[in-house]
Amino acid sequence: MDNACKVSSGNVTSGDGTAIAYRRSGDGPPVVLVGGAFSTAETEALLARLLSPRFGVLTYDRRGRGGSGDTAPYAVEREIEDLGALLAEVGGSASVYGMSSGAALVLEAAAAGLPITQLALYEPPYSTAPAARSDSSDSSDSSDRGGYPERLAELLALERRGEAVELFLSEAGLPADVVAQMRASAAWPDLTAMAHTLVYDNAVMGLGPVPVERLAAVAARVLVIDGGASPLFLRNAARAVAAALPRGRHRTLTGQTHEVTPQVLAPMLEEFFAA
């Protein structure tokens, strides 16, 4: 069997003793994929398979998800340590791709000094200046949170996990009929099982605006990608992040949305990571 098709799995132990489950495919230069809300190693499996002929690709379950542990209390620093343990597992440093809130986590890790050689990011969902959010089609901007973090925490404290997931999906801009269809789908139990990690994503995102001062500390090359059919606030955020990074550049994938197609994304990542 081709090495690119072989998938192995394992665990690393993070700094606080939490076990982090990962999968690895291919055996070229290391690339770590970091998912966003509700993502697991399985979510990124197709993208990993597309990249594995050229790279040694590692996907993982962020803490609190899938096969990984979840040691309380949560802190963003613990997730940075998780990524650090994975970098050690692949040889000490790697290129890293982050999706959505996973992109924000990758930026925090790079700013904290983790040995990330280059970064690619897809639509980190920061907010931008009010003038950039004036389009009425941009109603899903995460800056207009209106007590969302507090409402989410309250629902989770009451163990109303399904309602917490619905709240997040609505906040992300999904129409009510789409949310209803998801609730009736076979994937719903998996989403509700990870509902508590939505609070973790909130912590990673902070107050929401692009963290310009922290991004100035990122020394690596960074490619920030958005989809040409994504909401305006995500496209504006991608440009703002690229502009705030010392070595940032911006690219758009025409016709793509926040649910980017791996077959479209993979060639751009391959080109960037191979440079």
Side-chain angles (χ1 to χ4, degrees):
M1 182 183 295
D2 191 321
N3 284 339
C5 298
K6 293 181 180 178
V7 179
S8 61
S9 60
N11 292 276
V12 296
T13 302
S14 193
D16 66 350
T18 303
I20 303 298
Y22 69 83
R23 298 180 187 179
R24 183 157 32 184
S25 57
D27 58 4
V31 172
V32 179
L33 308 183
V34 183
F38 298 125
S39 293
T40 64
E42 178 61 28
T43 308
E44 304 297 332
L46 176 54
L47 181 58
R49 187 159 65 248
L50 293 168
L51 293 174
S52 62
R54 187 80 177 266
F55 304 100
V57 186
L58 186 145
T59 62
Y60 71 103
D61 298 336
R62 287 173 55 189
R63 64 172 52 210
R65 313 176 191 204
S68 291
D70 191 18
T71 304
Y74 175 82
V76 176
E77 291 78 9
R78 304 292 81 76
E79 282 221 70
I80 293 173
E81 291 171 357
D82 299 345
L83 184 52
L86 292 163
L87 293 176
E89 179 72 9
V90 298
S93 64
S95 299
V96 180
Y97 164 74
M99 165 66 184
S100 193
S101 61
L105 175 59
V106 169
L107 286 170
E108 292 291 338
L114 259 61
I116 298 172
T117 56
Q118 48 195 352
L119 294 76
L121 314 170
Y122 192 83
E123 296 190 342
Y126 295 113
S127 64
T128 50
R133 301 194 300 267
S134 59
D135 188 335
S136 62
S137 68
D138 194 25
S139 60
S140 62
D141 190 333
S142 62
S143 65
D144 257 344
R145 312 226 273 182
Y148 165 72
E150 293 77 14
R151 286 182 286 144
L152 178 66
E154 179 182 5
L155 289 171
L156 291 171
L158 295 171
E159 284 297 320
R160 291 157 62 179
R161 301 174 73 88
E163 291 177 58
V165 173
E166 287 185 335
L167 176 64
F168 168 79
L169 296 173
S170 298
E171 190 74 10
L174 271 67
D177 60 333
V178 174
V179 175
Q181 290 171 15
M182 293 181 67
R183 181 147 202 161
S185 73
W188 190 255
D190 293 333
L191 299 182
T192 58
M194 291 186 283
H196 61 289
T197 65
L198 295 172
V199 175
Y200 304 172
D201 287 311
N202 277 347
V204 169
M205 295 307 304
L207 296 175
V210 176
V212 174
E213 290 187 9
R214 286 202 300 284
L215 297 189
V218 177
R221 299 171 61 237
V222 186
L223 176 64
V224 188
I225 309 167
D226 65 3
S230 287
L232 180 60
F233 90 90
L234 287 172
R235 304 200 304 274
N236 286 339
R239 290 176 174 83
V241 168
L245 290 159
R247 301 176 65 193
R249 56 182 291 201
H250 171 260
R251 294 279 300 275
T252 294
L253 288 173
T254 303
Q256 292 298 301
T257 67
H258 197 58
E259 299 297 323
V260 61
T261 303
Q263 292 91 337
V264 176
L265 175 63
M268 184 173 287
L269 294 182
E270 181 175 348
E271 177 186 7
F272 178 70
F273 287 143

